[in-house]
Amino acid sequence: MKEKITEASISLFEQKGFSTTTIQDIADSIGATKGTFYYYFKSKEQLLKEIHLEYIIDLLKRQEAIVNDSTSNKEKLHAVIEMLIGDIRKNGPRGRVFFREIRHLAEENIRIIKKERDRYRLNIESIIRSGIAAGEFKPNLRSDMVAFAVLGMANYSYNWFQPDGEVEPSELAAIYTSLVLGGIVKENGTPENH
């Protein structure tokens, strides 16, 4: 029942927004009572916090498997981008709630979520730094700015990308990877300050 409440809430939060969705709306959508909701969650905000934590922890787990594998840093970066874009098909509504509704959490809860989000970003930075150290990427890159660029492209895709449309998730991931690597791959004979 807890998962049923969570999934119904994600759908409602995506459609109506967190602030305009009531606990009664959630209960009605699954044919339950408000008492059932309160059996599993103290408040609507606690539910939103759990949605956020489940989402980012799942992403981190999958990302860390990529970071720790034995492939090249270029392949790792591509795999991270592909995971984020591919996730839109699997978890699009959850992702949109994650990116859009964090503002409705209390400061303490926002800090908890942002700490996990920061871990995700720092893992991307570590791929970039490792790629620089291995000579795969240009030596003068700001790994923090590259990580923000990757996240900006991939995360904004939740707002417009239709995974069942003309472009497959793997194709979009390949386009994004090509854009990023085209700007950071070290080419033989290229002066270091270009």
Side-chain angles (χ1 to χ4, degrees):
M1 180 56 79
K2 185 175 183 180
E3 186 60 28
K4 196 173 180 183
I5 292 169
T6 301
E7 292 305 318
S9 299
I10 289 167
S11 179
L12 288 166
F13 295 163
E14 181 193 21
Q15 292 167 25
K16 297 175 62 171
F18 175 81
S19 57
T20 57
T21 299
T22 65
I23 292 172
Q24 190 64 58
D25 291 335
I26 296 166
D28 289 347
S29 74
I30 59 169
T33 65
K34 284 169 75 172
T36 303
F37 177 93
Y38 285 115
Y39 178 80
Y40 293 99
F41 301 100
K42 289 187 302 189
S43 66
K44 197 170 68 161
E45 188 191 344
Q46 181 206 355
L47 167 61
L48 185 62
K49 176 188 170 188
E50 287 191 24
I51 290 168
H52 274 74
L53 277 174
E54 286 174 10
Y55 182 77
I56 191 63
I57 287 169
D58 175 62
L59 281 179
L60 273 165
K61 183 178 170 183
R62 291 185 284 146
Q63 183 202 44
E64 286 170 355
I66 293 167
V67 170
N68 294 323
D69 72 19
S70 60
T71 59
S72 72
N73 292 291
K74 288 189 275 188
E75 291 168 313
K76 287 178 185 181
L77 190 59
H78 176 75
V80 166
I81 293 170
E82 191 166 43
M83 181 191 75
L84 286 169
I85 300 302
D87 199 64
I88 296 172
R89 175 174 283 154
K90 179 182 171 198
N91 290 312
R94 190 177 290 261
R96 283 185 284 281
V97 168
F98 179 82
F99 294 117
R100 190 180 68 203
E101 304 297 341
I102 191 169
R103 67 187 187 273
H104 296 293
L105 293 173
E107 265 318 303
E108 177 185 325
N109 290 330
I110 289 174
R111 276 193 301 276
I112 292 167
I113 303 304
K114 283 190 174 179
K115 182 179 174 188
E116 300 305 315
R117 287 172 84 155
D118 287 347
R119 280 180 53 206
Y120 195 91
R121 176 181 47 81
L122 291 171
N123 284 339
I124 295 174
E125 283 185 38
S126 77
I127 294 171
I128 303 303
R129 282 193 307 275
S130 294
I132 293 168
E136 293 177 66
F137 302 153
K138 293 177 182 177
N140 58 347
L141 291 175
R142 288 266 320 248
S143 59
D144 56 345
M145 295 297 105
V146 175
F148 279 121
V150 168
L151 288 171
M153 279 193 310
N155 291 346
Y156 192 75
S157 298
Y158 277 84
N159 293 309
W160 63 268
F161 181 58
Q162 299 296 322
D164 296 323
E166 183 180 322
V167 177
E168 284 290 316
S170 60
E171 183 182 354
L172 181 60
I175 291 167
Y176 280 178
T177 302
S178 177
L179 287 171
V180 173
L181 292 179
I184 66 175
V185 172
K186 182 179 178 184
E187 297 177 22
N188 292 335
T190 302
E192 288 191 9
N193 58 351
H194 288 150

